[in-house]
Amino acid sequence: MLATLAIECDDLPAIDDGELHIMAWLNANPSEAVITSISTADKAAVRATYALNLVDNVISLQKLARNAGVSSRQLQGMQHHFSEDWLSTIRTQLKMKIL
């Protein structure tokens, strides 16, 4: 799967091994990828999901935590790159070809 990903998506940014493996799996299993959510605060990994046309499947840790019932106080203590606002900005920049 990794070799196929490297050949089919040679424009992927450099990402960590774990993220690379999940991107390879998503690329190899497109029908399952449609129902998959990905949570990452790594800009390069979000760029990789854009290259695979899966950027709208990325969900922020803040949204996951909110849906899981984490308290407002804990949510407010999260670093910015875990926020829905940060992710929305990155998505917009990718779609506008700014990033």
Side-chain angles (χ1 to χ4, degrees), residues 43 46-47 85-95 99:
K43 192 183 295 185
V46 177
R47 286 179 56 219
D85 181 54
W86 177 86
L87 180 57
S88 178
T89 299
I90 299 302
R91 269 196 206 115
T92 300
Q93 290 174 347
L94 287 166
K95 290 177 181 182
L99 252 181

Side-chain angles (χ1 to χ4, degrees), residues 19-94:
E19 293 164 336
L20 183 61
H21 281 85
I22 192 66
M23 298 304 159
W25 184 88
L26 291 167
N27 188 57
N29 299 283
S31 61
E32 287 87 353
V34 172
I35 58 170
T36 302
S37 291
I38 306 146
S39 183
T40 183
D42 183 326
K43 192 183 295 185
V46 177
R47 286 179 56 219
T49 64
Y50 179 77
L52 295 174
N53 296 315
L54 295 169
V55 73
D56 291 325
N57 292 35
V58 181
I59 186 170
S60 70
L61 181 60
Q62 180 185 45
K63 187 171 184 176
L64 284 175
R66 184 179 304 116
N67 291 347
V70 171
S71 73
S72 296
R73 193 179 98 195
Q74 288 174 309
L75 290 171
Q76 290 172 353
M78 286 186 165
Q79 295 179 13
H80 182 65
H81 62 279
F82 294 118
S83 72
E84 189 61 29
D85 181 54
W86 177 86
L87 180 57
S88 178
T89 299
I90 299 302
R91 269 196 206 115
T92 300
Q93 290 174 347
L94 287 166

